[in-house]
Amino acid sequence: LFTSKKKFKITNVTNFMKTINFYERLIFGYSVAKILKKKKTDLIITRSFMASFFLCLYDIKHFLEIHHTLKGFTKFIFLDLNFINSKSIKSVIFISKKLSQTFKVKKKLILHDAIDPNNFPKNKKVNKIKNIGYIGSLLEGRGIDTIEKLSIMNPDLNFFIIGKKIKDK
């Protein structure tokens, strides 16, 4: 989807907190937008609804990635006030077609969060693939267990894993 022959810098502004309350999400979203307002950026992708909200207020173009349905104040802002279709959101990225069908979005992309192991061997293009990358949580049930099954099913492929396992306190 996105290709570049130029070198670029990736900035991650998350704080890796296990849980974050509404007030902290609000502060985080405002802080991110304030930082990005001062910087020249080519591409912004966020999963933070509060960051997206403030980016919209500052009219900063970005992509919003959605992994779940909305509730509470976030639902009110993005669905009832229709921020989901803001001109500042270049496109909404959904992790599944089913999830995308629960939103009325004008500009959307469906980029599946992971692949179903049952579909993997049937894919004709897989014969050309030799390297598989995964960036995400290393906790069981968050994707890494699926990658492990795929690696066992496909020993001729190289799997590159990047992630952090955060233990409960």
Side-chain angles (χ1 to χ4, degrees), residues 15-31:
N15 56 6
F16 295 105
M17 293 177 67
K18 184 76 173 165
T19 59
I20 184 168
N21 67 36
F22 177 76
Y23 177 74
E24 291 169 325
R25 287 185 301 152
L26 207 57
I27 299 287
F28 172 78
Y30 172 75
S31 301

Side-chain angles (χ1 to χ4, degrees), residues 7 22 38 58 71 76 85-86 88 97 109 127 156:
K7 290 185 178 185
F22 177 76
K38 296 176 184 177
Y58 283 127
K71 60 183 178 180
F76 174 73
N85 286 305
S86 167
S88 299
K97 186 176 181 179
L109 292 168
N127 294 334
D156 55 323

Side-chain angles (χ1 to χ4, degrees), residues 124-140:
K124 290 184 169 74
K125 292 182 182 179
V126 83
N127 294 334
K128 296 178 184 177
I129 297 172
K130 297 296 175 205
N131 298 310
I132 310 267
Y134 171 81
I135 301 173
S137 174
L138 300 180
L139 295 173
E140 189 174 331

Side-chain angles (χ1 to χ4, degrees), residues 57-158:
L57 292 179
Y58 283 127
D59 194 27
I60 298 171
K61 305 291 186 235
H62 65 284
F63 290 83
L64 174 61
E65 185 175 332
I66 297 180
H67 286 236
H68 53 79
T69 57
L70 303 180
K71 60 183 178 180
F73 188 68
T74 307
K75 180 181 179 204
F76 174 73
I77 291 173
F78 281 89
L79 301 183
D80 297 338
L81 297 180
N82 202 29
F83 266 81
I84 195 94
N85 286 305
S86 167
K87 63 182 175 115
S88 299
I89 299 176
K90 295 175 95 168
S91 188
V92 179
I93 302 169
F94 292 99
I95 62 164
S96 72
K97 186 176 181 179
K98 184 177 180 181
L99 181 61
S100 77
Q101 293 169 343
T102 64
F103 292 83
K104 292 179 182 174
V105 176
K106 294 176 185 172
K107 301 171 284 184
K108 67 180 173 182
L109 292 168
I110 299 170
L111 300 176
H112 293 280
D113 193 29
I115 190 165
D116 184 337
N118 297 323
N119 296 334
F120 196 76
K122 297 174 190 172
N123 185 341
K124 290 184 169 74
K125 292 182 182 179
V126 83
N127 294 334
K128 296 178 184 177
I129 297 172
K130 297 296 175 205
N131 298 310
I132 310 267
Y134 171 81
I135 301 173
S137 174
L138 300 180
L139 295 173
E140 189 174 331
R142 301 295 299 275
I144 193 63
D145 47 333
T146 302
I147 298 297
E148 184 179 13
K149 290 175 189 172
L150 287 171
S151 68
I152 292 167
M153 292 170 55
N154 299 279
D156 55 323
L157 300 178
N158 300 311

